[in-house]
Amino acid sequence: MRYGETRAVDGLSLTVERGTVTAVLGPNGAGKTTTLETCEGFRAAQQGTVRVLGLDPVRERRALLPRIGVMLQSGGAWSGVRAVEMLEHVARLHANPLPVPMLVERLGLAECGRTPYRRLSGGQQQRLGLAMAVVGRPELVFVDEPTAGMDPAARRTTWELVEELKADGVTVVLTTHYMEEAERLADTVHVIDRGRVVATGSPFELTRARGQATIRLVVTEPFPREAPESLRATLGSGTEVTEINQQSLLITGPADASTLAKVSAWCEEQGVLPESLSLGQRTLEDVFLQITGRELAP
Amino acid sequence: MSPATGTFTPAPGAAPYLRMVRAQASMETRLLLRNGEQLLLAVVIPVLALVGGVLGAERMGLDLAHRPVDVLTPGVLALAVMSTSFTSLAIATGFERRYGLLKRLGASPLPRSGLLLGKVGSLLIVQGLQAVVICAVAFALGWDPGGGVTGWLVALLGALLGTLAFASLGLALAGTLRAEATLAAANLVYLLLLTGGGVVVPRSTYGAAEAPLALLPSGALGDVLRNALLEGTVAGSALLVLIAWAAVGSVLAARLFRWE
């Protein structure tokens, strides 16, 4: 998919299993929304094939739309419509909608039920968007950045809802740039960057399969340019060193005291003063950084 | 894997077509009636034009072939159609696109034809309410429509054709410009046609512009309603002009209208 000269999504290939939660994870501008909108039939793929529930999302859109639920990244209501009124309207367009009061209760929309859409907070608009996506009892739900801008309580409510959808047999595809969200919810994570899938697997496979840990080293002064090379030589094979920026390095390798000791010794030898040296489980964030050389969070 | 029946167990499906259209029409009507500016355009301005016109014409001795209230009422009814089908529709639709509502509905089971029918339904409901208010005021001012049942039927036909013509032009406008520009343009066109479009007062009062005004949808709709409600006659060429505008507007709207 191109927008003018920009390739937004390029040779992206992924498959979603029914009844699972799939997270499409990537930084802003990676092509997440374009990928989703192509599946929802808003855009036709310029090359390649897209099938959703076995249907072509553009040519067989009318057959597909009643079966899927879509949560847009933003907007999606009249500015003057009341929150519950909007949800009731979308419910009336479906054959067997969920009871609106139940969804209102579940998503904490009761206190803003009579508030016009334009006066809802960002998090309330997000929750209403999610409610509109699921009210028609779809088989498959696409949610674009479901918890962007939500407070922690609303985020937990949303996560619980996604977990319940999955438990009841609904397939969920979500985009996110929150690691935690992908790690907690997803059965499968597709890490995408610059319009391509760069890694696929369960959060466990992506982060822990190799039994490795991550050491983050942050120093007070910029490293000498050859620092990553010299640290790599010191630690030997089986350890990867990725430069995050001039003052921090990411070291992935065996989680043992000897690695830590070597890193400390190396700091002393280089005359750099560590500001922080932390050892932790490898996160999806680390995976992304290692694959792309860039940080995920904006 | 077949999960037990739970709250969210899938049971997808579109509601029956007519139920969707009805839901859309009633939703759009409620929102329009709730919006103060739209209500001003729909009711307050036409009623002021009617009352002001009748009182003013008597004071200024405006020379009309009939009593002022009998001439002005059909014109104000035409104005009401124009304000709702063109101006209100264009503005509302422009902002619906801006706020992602059209995209949201585009991802719902409601097909585009259903959305359009819902909009037309809402226009007809609102215009019906406008007509009730305007006619009530007109009768209070002594209106005596002269066309009989034929007149009312022809007027109804003219109003429907006018709705199609103005609504398609309004959608074409909303499809071309950004929401704010649509707001400005739709109001400007409305003001120009209100004052110079041969809608409220007969074309004969415009001097040299009389003939060209017959080709505007505003002049044609005014002609059809005045002929019908003054004499019970059919302004055939004006009806043809409305049909032509409806055709042109539909082609333009189909080409220019964007859902996102």
Side-chain angles (χ1 to χ4, degrees), chain A residues 37 42 61-62 65-66 70 75-82 85 89 92-96 98 102 137-139 161 164-165 168-170, chain B residues 3 6-15 19-20 23-24 27 30-31 34 96 99-101 103-104 106-111 260:
Chain A
E37 293 193 346
F42 282 120
R61 195 141 195 258
R62 292 264 55 90
L65 285 180
V70 172
W78 286 280
S79 74
V81 74
R82 296 179 184 121
E85 190 179 39
H89 180 60
R92 270 194 285 271
L93 303 177
H94 290 90
N96 316 296
L98 292 170
M102 181 276 290
R137 305 179 69 143
E139 290 166 58
L161 187 86
E164 199 174 331
L165 286 170
D168 287 346
V170 181
Chain B
T7 315
F8 298 102
T9 302
R19 200 165 91 200
M20 291 195 282
Q24 188 65 25
M27 191 73 212
R30 266 181 292 155
L31 288 168
R34 201 182 289 165
E96 283 173 357
Y99 290 121
L101 186 270
K103 189 172 181 180
R104 166 72 254 167
S108 81
L110 179 70
E260 277 184 47

Short mmCIF file of all heavy atoms in Angstrom, two decimals, chain A residues 37 42 61-62 65-66 70 75-82 85 89 92-96 98 102 137-139 161 164-165 168-170, chain B residues 3 6-15 19-20 23-24 27 30-31 34 96 99-101 103-104 106-111 260:
data_model
loop_
_atom_site.label_atom_id
_atom_site.label_comp_id
_atom_site.label_asym_id
_atom_site.label_seq_id
_atom_site.Cartn_x
_atom_site.Cartn_y
_atom_site.Cartn_z
N GLU A 37 -7.28 -1.28 8.10
CA GLU A 37 -8.30 -0.72 7.21
C GLU A 37 -8.39 -1.50 5.90
O GLU A 37 -9.44 -1.52 5.26
CB GLU A 37 -8.03 0.77 6.97
CG GLU A 37 -8.23 1.57 8.25
CD GLU A 37 -8.29 3.07 8.06
OE1 GLU A 37 -7.92 3.54 6.97
OE2 GLU A 37 -8.72 3.76 9.01
N PHE A 42 -11.93 -0.76 3.90
CA PHE A 42 -11.91 0.69 3.64
C PHE A 42 -10.96 1.03 2.49
O PHE A 42 -11.13 2.01 1.81
CB PHE A 42 -11.47 1.46 4.88
CG PHE A 42 -12.54 1.60 5.91
CD1 PHE A 42 -12.37 1.10 7.18
CD2 PHE A 42 -13.72 2.25 5.61
CE1 PHE A 42 -13.36 1.23 8.14
CE2 PHE A 42 -14.72 2.39 6.56
CZ PHE A 42 -14.53 1.88 7.83
N ARG A 61 -17.87 -6.93 0.57
CA ARG A 61 -17.96 -6.12 1.77
C ARG A 61 -19.31 -6.26 2.47
O ARG A 61 -19.39 -6.34 3.69
CB ARG A 61 -17.75 -4.65 1.36
CG ARG A 61 -17.46 -3.75 2.50
CD ARG A 61 -16.42 -2.71 2.15
NE ARG A 61 -15.96 -2.12 3.40
CZ ARG A 61 -16.35 -0.93 3.83
NH1 ARG A 61 -17.16 -0.20 3.10
NH2 ARG A 61 -15.95 -0.49 4.98
N ARG A 62 -20.38 -6.28 1.68
CA ARG A 62 -21.73 -6.34 2.27
C ARG A 62 -21.93 -7.62 3.07
O ARG A 62 -22.63 -7.63 4.07
CB ARG A 62 -22.81 -6.20 1.20
CG ARG A 62 -22.84 -4.83 0.57
CD ARG A 62 -23.88 -3.89 1.20
NE ARG A 62 -23.79 -3.70 2.63
CZ ARG A 62 -23.09 -2.76 3.23
NH1 ARG A 62 -22.38 -1.92 2.54
NH2 ARG A 62 -23.10 -2.65 4.54
N LEU A 65 -19.32 -7.19 6.38
CA LEU A 65 -19.50 -6.19 7.44
C LEU A 65 -20.39 -6.62 8.60
O LEU A 65 -20.05 -6.37 9.75
CB LEU A 65 -20.00 -4.86 6.85
CG LEU A 65 -18.92 -4.08 6.10
CD1 LEU A 65 -19.49 -2.79 5.55
CD2 LEU A 65 -17.73 -3.80 7.00
N PRO A 66 -21.54 -7.28 8.34
CA PRO A 66 -22.34 -7.66 9.51
C PRO A 66 -21.62 -8.63 10.43
O PRO A 66 -21.98 -8.76 11.60
CB PRO A 66 -23.57 -8.34 8.88
CG PRO A 66 -23.64 -7.80 7.49
CD PRO A 66 -22.21 -7.60 7.08
N VAL A 70 -15.85 -3.22 14.21
CA VAL A 70 -14.71 -2.35 13.93
C VAL A 70 -14.67 -1.24 14.97
O VAL A 70 -15.67 -0.57 15.21
CB VAL A 70 -14.83 -1.73 12.52
CG1 VAL A 70 -13.77 -0.68 12.29
CG2 VAL A 70 -14.73 -2.82 11.46
N GLY A 75 -12.93 9.18 16.71
CA GLY A 75 -14.17 9.65 16.10
C GLY A 75 -15.17 8.52 15.88
O GLY A 75 -15.09 7.46 16.49
N GLY A 76 -16.13 8.78 14.99
CA GLY A 76 -17.08 7.74 14.67
C GLY A 76 -18.45 7.97 15.26
O GLY A 76 -19.22 7.03 15.45
N ALA A 77 -18.78 9.24 15.57
CA ALA A 77 -20.12 9.53 16.07
C ALA A 77 -20.47 10.97 15.72
O ALA A 77 -19.59 11.77 15.44
CB ALA A 77 -20.19 9.33 17.58
N TRP A 78 -21.77 11.27 15.72
CA TRP A 78 -22.20 12.65 15.54
C TRP A 78 -21.68 13.47 16.74
O TRP A 78 -21.61 12.93 17.86
CB TRP A 78 -23.72 12.74 15.53
CG TRP A 78 -24.38 12.25 14.29
CD1 TRP A 78 -24.51 12.94 13.11
CD2 TRP A 78 -25.04 11.00 14.09
NE1 TRP A 78 -25.21 12.17 12.20
CE2 TRP A 78 -25.54 10.99 12.77
CE3 TRP A 78 -25.26 9.89 14.89
CZ2 TRP A 78 -26.26 9.92 12.23
CZ3 TRP A 78 -25.96 8.81 14.36
CH2 TRP A 78 -26.46 8.85 13.04
N SER A 79 -21.38 14.73 16.52
CA SER A 79 -20.82 15.49 17.64
C SER A 79 -21.87 15.74 18.72
O SER A 79 -21.54 15.83 19.90
CB SER A 79 -20.22 16.80 17.15
OG SER A 79 -21.24 17.70 16.82
N GLY A 80 -23.13 15.80 18.36
CA GLY A 80 -24.16 16.13 19.34
C GLY A 80 -24.90 14.93 19.90
O GLY A 80 -25.81 15.08 20.71
N VAL A 81 -24.52 13.73 19.49
CA VAL A 81 -25.27 12.55 19.91
C VAL A 81 -24.85 12.16 21.33
O VAL A 81 -23.69 12.32 21.72
CB VAL A 81 -25.02 11.39 18.92
CG1 VAL A 81 -23.64 10.78 19.08
CG2 VAL A 81 -26.10 10.31 19.05
N ARG A 82 -25.81 11.67 22.12
CA ARG A 82 -25.47 11.23 23.47
C ARG A 82 -24.84 9.85 23.39
O ARG A 82 -25.18 9.05 22.50
CB ARG A 82 -26.72 11.18 24.34
CG ARG A 82 -27.31 12.55 24.52
CD ARG A 82 -28.58 12.52 25.37
NE ARG A 82 -29.15 13.84 25.44
CZ ARG A 82 -30.39 14.16 25.03
NH1 ARG A 82 -31.19 13.22 24.55
NH2 ARG A 82 -30.81 15.39 25.11
N GLU A 85 -27.19 6.90 23.35
CA GLU A 85 -28.03 7.00 22.15
C GLU A 85 -27.27 6.47 20.92
O GLU A 85 -27.82 5.76 20.07
CB GLU A 85 -28.37 8.47 21.99
CG GLU A 85 -29.40 8.83 20.99
CD GLU A 85 -29.64 10.34 20.99
OE1 GLU A 85 -28.68 11.14 21.13
OE2 GLU A 85 -30.80 10.75 20.87
N HIS A 89 -28.13 3.25 18.64
CA HIS A 89 -28.32 3.34 17.19
C HIS A 89 -27.55 2.22 16.47
O HIS A 89 -28.11 1.53 15.62
CB HIS A 89 -27.87 4.71 16.68
CG HIS A 89 -28.03 4.86 15.20
ND1 HIS A 89 -29.26 4.75 14.59
CD2 HIS A 89 -27.14 5.07 14.21
CE1 HIS A 89 -29.11 4.90 13.28
NE2 HIS A 89 -27.83 5.09 13.03
N ARG A 92 -29.21 -1.08 16.83
CA ARG A 92 -30.41 -1.28 15.99
C ARG A 92 -30.08 -1.68 14.56
O ARG A 92 -30.95 -2.13 13.83
CB ARG A 92 -31.24 0.01 15.96
CG ARG A 92 -32.28 0.06 17.08
CD ARG A 92 -33.31 1.15 16.83
NE ARG A 92 -32.75 2.47 17.10
CZ ARG A 92 -32.78 3.05 18.28
NH1 ARG A 92 -33.38 2.47 19.29
NH2 ARG A 92 -32.25 4.24 18.46
N LEU A 93 -28.81 -1.48 14.15
CA LEU A 93 -28.44 -1.88 12.79
C LEU A 93 -28.10 -3.37 12.71
O LEU A 93 -27.82 -3.89 11.65
CB LEU A 93 -27.24 -1.04 12.32
CG LEU A 93 -27.44 0.48 12.35
CD1 LEU A 93 -26.16 1.20 11.93
CD2 LEU A 93 -28.58 0.90 11.42
N HIS A 94 -28.09 -4.07 13.86
CA HIS A 94 -27.73 -5.48 13.89
C HIS A 94 -28.94 -6.36 14.22
O HIS A 94 -29.89 -5.90 14.86
CB HIS A 94 -26.63 -5.73 14.92
CG HIS A 94 -25.31 -5.16 14.50
ND1 HIS A 94 -24.91 -3.88 14.81
CD2 HIS A 94 -24.30 -5.70 13.77
CE1 HIS A 94 -23.71 -3.65 14.30
NE2 HIS A 94 -23.32 -4.73 13.66
N ALA A 95 -28.83 -7.63 13.80
CA ALA A 95 -29.95 -8.55 13.98
C ALA A 95 -30.10 -8.99 15.44
O ALA A 95 -31.21 -9.05 15.96
CB ALA A 95 -29.77 -9.77 13.08
N ASN A 96 -28.98 -9.33 16.08
CA ASN A 96 -29.04 -9.85 17.46
C ASN A 96 -28.10 -9.08 18.38
O ASN A 96 -27.13 -9.65 18.88
CB ASN A 96 -28.62 -11.32 17.50
CG ASN A 96 -29.23 -12.11 16.37
OD1 ASN A 96 -30.44 -12.26 16.31
ND2 ASN A 96 -28.39 -12.59 15.46
N LEU A 98 -26.17 -7.15 21.44
CA LEU A 98 -26.05 -7.34 22.88
C LEU A 98 -26.95 -6.33 23.57
O LEU A 98 -27.24 -5.28 23.01
CB LEU A 98 -24.61 -7.07 23.31
CG LEU A 98 -23.55 -8.06 22.85
CD1 LEU A 98 -22.16 -7.51 23.15
CD2 LEU A 98 -23.75 -9.40 23.54
N MET A 102 -26.19 -3.58 29.47
CA MET A 102 -25.11 -4.43 29.97
C MET A 102 -23.75 -3.88 29.51
O MET A 102 -22.81 -3.77 30.31
CB MET A 102 -25.33 -5.85 29.45
CG MET A 102 -24.31 -6.89 29.89
SD MET A 102 -22.82 -6.94 28.89
CE MET A 102 -23.46 -7.63 27.36
N ARG A 137 -22.50 -8.40 18.21
CA ARG A 137 -22.07 -9.79 18.43
C ARG A 137 -21.29 -10.36 17.26
O ARG A 137 -21.66 -11.39 16.68
CB ARG A 137 -23.27 -10.68 18.75
CG ARG A 137 -24.07 -10.16 19.93
CD ARG A 137 -25.26 -10.99 20.23
NE ARG A 137 -24.82 -12.27 20.75
CZ ARG A 137 -25.47 -12.93 21.71
NH1 ARG A 137 -26.56 -12.41 22.24
NH2 ARG A 137 -25.03 -14.08 22.12
N PRO A 138 -20.21 -9.69 16.89
CA PRO A 138 -19.43 -10.12 15.72
C PRO A 138 -18.62 -11.37 16.00
O PRO A 138 -18.39 -11.74 17.15
CB PRO A 138 -18.51 -8.94 15.47
CG PRO A 138 -18.32 -8.33 16.83
CD PRO A 138 -19.63 -8.52 17.55
N GLU A 139 -18.19 -12.01 14.90
CA GLU A 139 -17.29 -13.16 15.01
C GLU A 139 -15.85 -12.69 15.18
O GLU A 139 -15.01 -13.40 15.73
CB GLU A 139 -17.32 -13.98 13.71
CG GLU A 139 -18.59 -14.72 13.46
CD GLU A 139 -18.65 -15.21 12.02
OE1 GLU A 139 -17.75 -15.95 11.60
OE2 GLU A 139 -19.60 -14.81 11.32
N LEU A 161 -12.41 -7.01 29.07
CA LEU A 161 -13.42 -7.24 28.04
C LEU A 161 -12.83 -8.06 26.89
O LEU A 161 -13.46 -9.00 26.40
CB LEU A 161 -13.97 -5.91 27.52
CG LEU A 161 -15.15 -6.08 26.57
CD1 LEU A 161 -16.45 -6.18 27.36
CD2 LEU A 161 -15.23 -4.96 25.56
N GLU A 164 -12.58 -11.58 27.85
CA GLU A 164 -13.87 -12.26 27.85
C GLU A 164 -14.37 -12.54 26.43
O GLU A 164 -14.97 -13.58 26.16
CB GLU A 164 -14.90 -11.43 28.62
CG GLU A 164 -16.09 -12.29 29.03
CD GLU A 164 -17.06 -11.53 29.93
OE1 GLU A 164 -16.62 -10.63 30.66
OE2 GLU A 164 -18.25 -11.85 29.86
N LEU A 165 -14.10 -11.61 25.53
CA LEU A 165 -14.47 -11.85 24.12
C LEU A 165 -13.81 -13.13 23.63
O LEU A 165 -14.45 -13.99 23.04
CB LEU A 165 -13.99 -10.67 23.25
CG LEU A 165 -14.76 -9.36 23.35
CD1 LEU A 165 -14.01 -8.25 22.61
CD2 LEU A 165 -16.16 -9.49 22.75
N ASP A 168 -15.29 -16.24 24.95
CA ASP A 168 -16.59 -16.57 24.36
C ASP A 168 -16.48 -16.90 22.87
O ASP A 168 -17.49 -17.02 22.18
CB ASP A 168 -17.57 -15.41 24.58
CG ASP A 168 -18.03 -15.33 26.03
OD1 ASP A 168 -17.80 -16.31 26.77
OD2 ASP A 168 -18.60 -14.30 26.43
N GLY A 169 -15.25 -16.99 22.37
CA GLY A 169 -15.08 -17.46 21.00
C GLY A 169 -14.98 -16.39 19.94
O GLY A 169 -15.08 -16.68 18.75
N VAL A 170 -14.81 -15.13 20.36
CA VAL A 170 -14.67 -14.06 19.38
C VAL A 170 -13.18 -13.92 19.03
O VAL A 170 -12.33 -13.97 19.91
CB VAL A 170 -15.19 -12.73 19.96
CG1 VAL A 170 -15.06 -11.60 18.94
CG2 VAL A 170 -16.63 -12.88 20.42
N PRO B 3 -16.71 -22.96 22.20
CA PRO B 3 -16.90 -22.40 23.53
C PRO B 3 -18.36 -22.48 23.97
O PRO B 3 -19.27 -22.48 23.15
CB PRO B 3 -16.46 -20.95 23.37
CG PRO B 3 -16.53 -20.68 21.91
CD PRO B 3 -16.45 -21.98 21.19
N GLY B 6 -21.65 -17.80 25.97
CA GLY B 6 -21.32 -16.73 26.91
C GLY B 6 -21.93 -15.43 26.44
O GLY B 6 -22.64 -15.39 25.43
N THR B 7 -21.66 -14.39 27.20
CA THR B 7 -22.22 -13.08 26.90
C THR B 7 -21.93 -12.64 25.46
O THR B 7 -22.79 -12.10 24.79
CB THR B 7 -21.59 -12.03 27.83
OG1 THR B 7 -21.59 -12.57 29.14
CG2 THR B 7 -22.36 -10.74 27.80
N PHE B 8 -20.69 -12.90 25.03
CA PHE B 8 -20.26 -12.35 23.75
C PHE B 8 -20.24 -13.37 22.63
O PHE B 8 -19.72 -13.10 21.55
CB PHE B 8 -18.88 -11.72 23.91
CG PHE B 8 -18.86 -10.57 24.87
CD1 PHE B 8 -18.37 -10.73 26.16
CD2 PHE B 8 -19.37 -9.33 24.51
CE1 PHE B 8 -18.37 -9.67 27.06
CE2 PHE B 8 -19.37 -8.27 25.40
CZ PHE B 8 -18.88 -8.44 26.68
N THR B 9 -20.77 -14.57 22.89
CA THR B 9 -20.79 -15.60 21.85
C THR B 9 -21.32 -15.00 20.55
O THR B 9 -22.39 -14.39 20.54
CB THR B 9 -21.68 -16.77 22.29
OG1 THR B 9 -21.17 -17.25 23.52
CG2 THR B 9 -21.67 -17.88 21.26
N PRO B 10 -20.58 -15.16 19.46
CA PRO B 10 -20.99 -14.49 18.22
C PRO B 10 -22.39 -14.87 17.76
O PRO B 10 -22.79 -16.04 17.84
CB PRO B 10 -19.94 -14.96 17.22
CG PRO B 10 -18.74 -15.29 18.03
CD PRO B 10 -19.28 -15.84 19.32
N ALA B 11 -23.14 -13.88 17.32
CA ALA B 11 -24.43 -14.09 16.67
C ALA B 11 -24.61 -12.92 15.72
O ALA B 11 -25.49 -12.09 15.89
CB ALA B 11 -25.57 -14.13 17.70
N PRO B 12 -23.72 -12.84 14.73
CA PRO B 12 -23.71 -11.63 13.90
C PRO B 12 -24.88 -11.60 12.92
O PRO B 12 -25.55 -12.60 12.71
CB PRO B 12 -22.39 -11.74 13.15
CG PRO B 12 -22.09 -13.20 13.07
CD PRO B 12 -22.71 -13.82 14.29
N GLY B 13 -25.08 -10.44 12.34
CA GLY B 13 -26.11 -10.31 11.31
C GLY B 13 -26.60 -8.88 11.23
O GLY B 13 -26.56 -8.14 12.21
N ALA B 14 -27.03 -8.52 10.02
CA ALA B 14 -27.60 -7.19 9.82
C ALA B 14 -29.07 -7.21 10.21
O ALA B 14 -29.73 -8.23 10.06
CB ALA B 14 -27.45 -6.78 8.36
N ALA B 15 -29.56 -6.09 10.72
CA ALA B 15 -30.99 -5.95 10.95
C ALA B 15 -31.68 -5.90 9.59
O ALA B 15 -31.05 -5.62 8.58
CB ALA B 15 -31.26 -4.68 11.74
N ARG B 19 -35.68 -1.75 8.74
CA ARG B 19 -35.49 -1.35 10.14
C ARG B 19 -34.25 -0.46 10.26
O ARG B 19 -34.24 0.51 11.02
CB ARG B 19 -35.34 -2.60 11.01
CG ARG B 19 -35.61 -2.30 12.47
CD ARG B 19 -35.82 -3.57 13.25
NE ARG B 19 -34.57 -4.05 13.80
CZ ARG B 19 -34.35 -5.32 14.19
NH1 ARG B 19 -35.30 -6.22 14.06
NH2 ARG B 19 -33.21 -5.66 14.70
N MET B 20 -33.21 -0.80 9.48
CA MET B 20 -32.01 0.03 9.51
C MET B 20 -32.30 1.44 8.98
O MET B 20 -31.88 2.44 9.55
CB MET B 20 -30.89 -0.61 8.67
CG MET B 20 -30.33 -1.88 9.27
SD MET B 20 -28.75 -2.36 8.49
CE MET B 20 -29.31 -3.10 6.98
N ALA B 23 -34.27 3.36 11.52
CA ALA B 23 -33.42 3.79 12.64
C ALA B 23 -32.58 5.00 12.22
O ALA B 23 -32.47 5.99 12.97
CB ALA B 23 -32.49 2.65 13.06
N GLN B 24 -32.03 4.95 11.00
CA GLN B 24 -31.18 6.04 10.54
C GLN B 24 -31.99 7.32 10.39
O GLN B 24 -31.57 8.40 10.81
CB GLN B 24 -30.54 5.63 9.20
CG GLN B 24 -29.48 6.58 8.70
CD GLN B 24 -28.27 6.64 9.61
OE1 GLN B 24 -27.98 5.70 10.35
NE2 GLN B 24 -27.59 7.77 9.61
N MET B 27 -32.96 8.75 13.83
CA MET B 27 -31.79 9.31 14.51
C MET B 27 -31.42 10.67 13.92
O MET B 27 -31.18 11.64 14.65
CB MET B 27 -30.63 8.32 14.31
CG MET B 27 -29.43 8.61 15.14
SD MET B 27 -29.76 8.18 16.83
CE MET B 27 -28.75 9.39 17.59
N ARG B 30 -33.97 13.36 14.92
CA ARG B 30 -33.82 13.82 16.31
C ARG B 30 -32.64 14.77 16.46
O ARG B 30 -32.72 15.79 17.12
CB ARG B 30 -33.63 12.61 17.23
CG ARG B 30 -34.93 12.12 17.84
CD ARG B 30 -34.69 10.95 18.75
NE ARG B 30 -34.27 9.79 17.98
CZ ARG B 30 -33.54 8.79 18.45
NH1 ARG B 30 -33.11 8.82 19.70
NH2 ARG B 30 -33.23 7.77 17.69
N LEU B 31 -31.52 14.40 15.81
CA LEU B 31 -30.33 15.24 15.95
C LEU B 31 -30.55 16.61 15.32
O LEU B 31 -30.11 17.63 15.83
CB LEU B 31 -29.12 14.55 15.31
CG LEU B 31 -28.61 13.36 16.10
CD1 LEU B 31 -27.61 12.56 15.28
CD2 LEU B 31 -27.96 13.82 17.39
N ARG B 34 -32.62 18.80 17.43
CA ARG B 34 -31.96 19.19 18.66
C ARG B 34 -30.98 20.33 18.44
O ARG B 34 -30.52 20.96 19.36
CB ARG B 34 -31.20 17.96 19.19
CG ARG B 34 -30.88 18.01 20.64
CD ARG B 34 -30.11 16.78 21.02
NE ARG B 34 -30.92 15.58 21.00
CZ ARG B 34 -30.41 14.36 21.02
NH1 ARG B 34 -29.11 14.17 21.01
NH2 ARG B 34 -31.21 13.31 21.02
N GLU B 96 -20.49 15.19 9.44
CA GLU B 96 -20.53 13.73 9.66
C GLU B 96 -19.26 13.08 9.12
O GLU B 96 -18.73 12.15 9.71
CB GLU B 96 -21.75 13.11 8.98
CG GLU B 96 -23.03 13.34 9.76
CD GLU B 96 -24.26 12.86 9.00
OE1 GLU B 96 -24.13 12.40 7.86
OE2 GLU B 96 -25.36 12.97 9.57
N TYR B 99 -16.26 14.08 11.47
CA TYR B 99 -16.19 13.38 12.75
C TYR B 99 -16.12 11.86 12.61
O TYR B 99 -16.26 11.15 13.59
CB TYR B 99 -17.38 13.76 13.63
CG TYR B 99 -17.31 15.19 14.12
CD1 TYR B 99 -18.31 16.10 13.84
CD2 TYR B 99 -16.20 15.63 14.85
CE1 TYR B 99 -18.23 17.41 14.27
CE2 TYR B 99 -16.10 16.94 15.27
CZ TYR B 99 -17.12 17.83 14.98
OH TYR B 99 -17.03 19.11 15.39
N GLY B 100 -15.91 11.39 11.40
CA GLY B 100 -15.75 9.95 11.22
C GLY B 100 -17.04 9.15 11.32
O GLY B 100 -17.01 7.93 11.35
N LEU B 101 -18.19 9.86 11.37
CA LEU B 101 -19.45 9.13 11.50
C LEU B 101 -19.73 8.32 10.23
O LEU B 101 -20.19 7.19 10.31
CB LEU B 101 -20.57 10.15 11.78
CG LEU B 101 -21.98 9.72 12.09
CD1 LEU B 101 -22.85 9.58 10.87
CD2 LEU B 101 -22.07 8.48 12.95
N LYS B 103 -17.58 7.10 8.25
CA LYS B 103 -16.68 5.94 8.24
C LYS B 103 -17.21 4.86 9.20
O LYS B 103 -17.23 3.69 8.88
CB LYS B 103 -15.30 6.40 8.68
CG LYS B 103 -14.23 5.36 8.52
CD LYS B 103 -12.87 5.98 8.79
CE LYS B 103 -11.78 4.94 8.62
NZ LYS B 103 -10.46 5.50 8.86
N ARG B 104 -17.64 5.30 10.38
CA ARG B 104 -18.20 4.38 11.37
C ARG B 104 -19.39 3.62 10.78
O ARG B 104 -19.49 2.41 10.87
CB ARG B 104 -18.60 5.22 12.59
CG ARG B 104 -19.47 4.61 13.63
CD ARG B 104 -18.78 3.60 14.46
NE ARG B 104 -19.23 2.28 14.04
CZ ARG B 104 -18.66 1.14 14.38
NH1 ARG B 104 -17.59 1.13 15.12
NH2 ARG B 104 -19.14 0.00 13.97
N GLY B 106 -19.97 3.28 7.70
CA GLY B 106 -19.44 2.51 6.58
C GLY B 106 -18.94 1.15 7.02
O GLY B 106 -18.81 0.24 6.21
N ALA B 107 -18.62 1.01 8.31
CA ALA B 107 -18.17 -0.29 8.84
C ALA B 107 -19.31 -1.03 9.52
O ALA B 107 -19.09 -2.06 10.14
CB ALA B 107 -17.02 -0.06 9.82
N SER B 108 -20.52 -0.51 9.42
CA SER B 108 -21.68 -1.16 10.05
C SER B 108 -22.46 -1.90 8.98
O SER B 108 -22.18 -1.77 7.80
CB SER B 108 -22.56 -0.09 10.71
OG SER B 108 -23.38 0.51 9.72
N PRO B 109 -23.47 -2.65 9.36
CA PRO B 109 -24.25 -3.36 8.34
C PRO B 109 -25.09 -2.45 7.45
O PRO B 109 -25.64 -2.91 6.45
CB PRO B 109 -25.18 -4.28 9.18
CG PRO B 109 -24.54 -4.36 10.51
CD PRO B 109 -23.85 -3.05 10.73
N LEU B 110 -25.20 -1.17 7.81
CA LEU B 110 -26.05 -0.27 7.01
C LEU B 110 -25.39 0.02 5.67
O LEU B 110 -24.33 0.63 5.63
CB LEU B 110 -26.25 1.05 7.78
CG LEU B 110 -27.08 2.13 7.10
CD1 LEU B 110 -28.55 1.74 7.04
CD2 LEU B 110 -26.92 3.47 7.82
N PRO B 111 -25.99 -0.40 4.53
CA PRO B 111 -25.38 -0.09 3.24
C PRO B 111 -25.53 1.38 2.90
O PRO B 111 -26.34 2.09 3.51
CB PRO B 111 -26.16 -0.95 2.25
CG PRO B 111 -27.21 -1.65 3.00
CD PRO B 111 -27.24 -1.15 4.40
N GLU B 260 -15.14 9.32 3.28
CA GLU B 260 -14.16 9.59 4.33
C GLU B 260 -13.59 10.98 4.15
O GLU B 260 -13.21 11.35 3.05
CB GLU B 260 -13.00 8.61 4.24
CG GLU B 260 -13.28 7.32 4.90
CD GLU B 260 -12.03 6.45 4.84
OE1 GLU B 260 -10.95 6.94 5.15
OE2 GLU B 260 -12.17 5.29 4.46
#
